[in-house]
Amino acid sequence: MVKRKLLLLILIISLILCACSPTPRSVITTDKIGESLDTAQFHFIDVGQGDCTLIRSGETSILVDCGTYESGGKLCEYLQNLGIKSIDYLIGTHPHEDHLGGSSAVLRMFDVKNVFLNGEMSSSYFFERMVDVLEAKNITPYIPDIGEKYTSGPFEFEFLSPEIDFGDENHNSLVVRVKYKDINALITGDIERPVESYLLNHNKDLAADILKVAHHGSRNASSSEFLRDVNPTIAVIQCGKDNSYGHPHYEVLKRFENTRAKVLRTDENGSIVIRTDGKTLYNASEEVIPLDSEKNGESQKSFIGNIKSMVLHSPQCRNLPSENNRIYFDTKEEAIDMKYKPCGNCNP
Ligand SMILES: [Zn+2]
Ligand SMILES: [Zn+2]
């Protein structure tokens, strides 16, 4: 017990030191891009009620979250079946069991080169097991700099959040945007609306082709405004079959109906793999997923009017009315005919 406390103390001190001083450059590894690295795969691994995303190209592997403690063995098997021996970056969004539960199993089995955590601690069993393995393998976890760009093989990734303390363990999740050529993926941990609003208000570049939907599809996340800004082609919800939280919530699925995104769910689809050459997305059957696929969504219409103020906006405007007060137009003329006035900000 004393030993455990000491280990935790060492981890806390090293995390604090990292938070206070600039991240040592040595943590950033830029691997050589081999000739065969002409595609990348995004795996949303079915870990039941939990998150786990593997991003892979050639010998480069980035793992964001590790699912539950119980799913750790299954996750290791999945990674082994892909022939993975080492992991360049293990990113733990926040110390909840459904995100970092499987981390001790992964750290034990694979050669993990870098670990990024959000700096928050937990006294839970799974977290102490993780600290044990980190200590045994002499791995120092780092807190990434928000806004800093990191590279690993052909990937570039950036942490968009948390820039401030949101005062909530879920909201303080690391949010990471991974870029592979022209394709971006946004992985949001368990953030909710306050963080989404912060990111929107601070004009963060959230645009992503692939979105790991926040907080397992909770109604407290994935606001219409956030989804509009991210504007994903594919949205993946990671949740367990018949989970007790009722994830994904009906309201969120409804909000997605007004976007162009194709929603995939690990509770229905099992593990989801999306492959890309950096321009085009392919599903597991190697079919092309059109990036500009038109869905029936009303957001595909070009103009949005506020029925109360009679002001006309472009769909990208920051001052869009709430869903209840909207009217959609195909053309500007149609709106002008109905006496709508163009918004001064977005000039539709
Ligand atoms: Zn979670
Ligand atoms: Zn959580």
Side-chain angles (χ1 to χ4, degrees):
M1 201 59 204
V2 173
K3 184 174 163 251
R4 178 105 45 251
K5 287 217 171 107
L6 192 66
L7 290 176
L8 273 170
L9 191 68
I10 291 168
L11 183 71
I12 291 165
I13 291 168
S14 57
L15 285 171
I16 290 168
L17 283 175
C18 293
C20 301
S21 60
T23 308
R25 294 300 110 188
S26 59
V27 75
I28 301 159
T29 55
T30 307
D31 307 328
K32 271 202 190 118
I33 301 173
E35 283 175 4
S36 61
L37 306 190
D38 55 352
T39 66
Q41 304 93 47
F42 293 81
H43 297 248
F44 297 88
I45 303 169
D46 179 13
V47 287
Q49 180 67 14
D51 272 6
C52 181
T53 308
L54 170 73
I55 301 153
R56 195 171 181 231
S57 178
E59 295 300 307
T60 305
S61 297
I62 300 169
L63 190 65
V64 186
D65 287 335
C66 303
T68 61
Y69 190 77
E70 193 192 338
S71 65
K74 201 177 124 190
L75 168 60
C76 288
E77 212 177 288
Y78 187 101
L79 299 175
Q80 276 180 321
N81 287 341
L82 291 173
I84 288 176
K85 292 193 170 55
S86 66
I87 291 164
D88 298 273
Y89 282 87
L90 190 161
I91 297 166
T93 60
H94 66 300
H96 279 173
E97 198 263 343
D98 56 327
H99 295 255
L100 275 174
S103 60
S104 53
V106 170
L107 284 160
R108 211 174 293 122
M109 183 153 301
F110 300 92
D111 171 23
V112 179
K113 292 173 184 159
N114 302 286
V115 175
F116 275 147
L117 299 174
N118 76 343
E120 295 198 345
M121 310 295 292
S122 166
S123 55
S124 304
Y125 179 79
F126 78 89
F127 196 83
E128 295 197 357
R129 294 290 79 74
M130 181 188 79
V131 173
D132 283 346
V133 190
L134 286 171
E135 214 277 327
K137 292 207 162 188
N138 210 11
I139 301 169
T140 308
Y142 290 98
I143 302 170
D145 288 332
I146 306 304
E148 181 80 39
K149 284 196 166 70
Y150 298 88
T151 56
S152 183
F155 300 106
E156 190 175 83
F157 57 101
E158 182 182 358
F159 293 91
L160 304 181
S161 195
E163 205 162 53
I164 57 165
D165 181 1
F166 290 98
D168 178 283
E169 290 181 357
N170 284 329
H171 299 179
N172 284 340
S173 293
L174 290 175
V175 174
V176 60
R177 188 163 172 259
V178 182
K179 186 175 162 62
Y180 176 77
K181 298 179 186 174
D182 293 341
I183 297 296
N184 284 289
L186 186 67
I187 300 163
T188 52
D190 279 352
I191 64 161
E192 293 183 333
R193 276 171 192 269
V195 185
E196 295 178 350
S197 301
Y198 181 94
L199 294 170
L200 290 169
N201 292 337
H202 288 77
N203 293 319
K204 303 284 182 190
D205 186 2
L206 303 171
D209 308 283
I210 303 169
L211 170 68
K212 196 296 291 178
V213 176
H215 204 174
H216 319 286
S218 162
R219 63 171 69 85
N220 300 323
S222 305
S223 63
S224 301
E225 294 73 18
F226 186 75
L227 299 185
R228 191 176 308 116
D229 225 62
V230 178
N231 193 21
T233 299
I234 295 284
V236 180
I237 299 174
Q238 296 203 277
C239 62
K241 232 186 182 73
D242 304 320
N243 65 80
S244 57
Y245 306 94
H247 292 151
H249 289 147
Y250 168 80
E251 298 91 318
V252 170
L253 298 176
K254 261 334 239 189
R255 275 177 231 147
F256 270 108
E257 281 180 11
N258 284 331
T259 74
R260 65 181 181 135
K262 180 171 175 53
V263 177
L264 300 171
R265 300 163 50 169
T266 52
D267 62 334
E268 288 184 343
N269 305 89
S271 294
I272 293 155
V273 184
I274 297 159
R275 193 175 69 79
T276 179
D277 56 6
K279 283 198 185 318
T280 309
L281 299 179
Y282 300 89
N283 64 19
S285 317
E286 296 295 308
E287 291 160 350
V288 173
I289 305 168
L291 287 175
D292 54 357
S293 68
E294 294 254 336
K295 251 185 37 175
N296 50 344
E298 290 176 310
S299 63
Q300 289 305 317
K301 305 243 176 158
S302 308
F303 302 94
I304 298 170
N306 183 330
I307 55 170
K308 289 214 165 133
S309 65
M310 301 288 286
V311 173
L312 187 69
H313 303 272
S314 74
Q316 289 78 32
C317 184
R318 299 249 174 213
N319 301 321
L320 289 178
S322 63
E323 312 269 350
N324 305 340
N325 293 331
R326 284 184 191 184
I327 179 170
Y328 294 87
F329 299 101
D330 285 322
T331 64
K332 187 173 168 181
E333 288 66 38
E334 219 180 299
I336 300 295
D337 280 351
M338 283 178 69
K339 309 276 182 262
Y340 276 80
K341 299 254 180 304
C343 162
N345 290 328
C346 65
N347 282 316

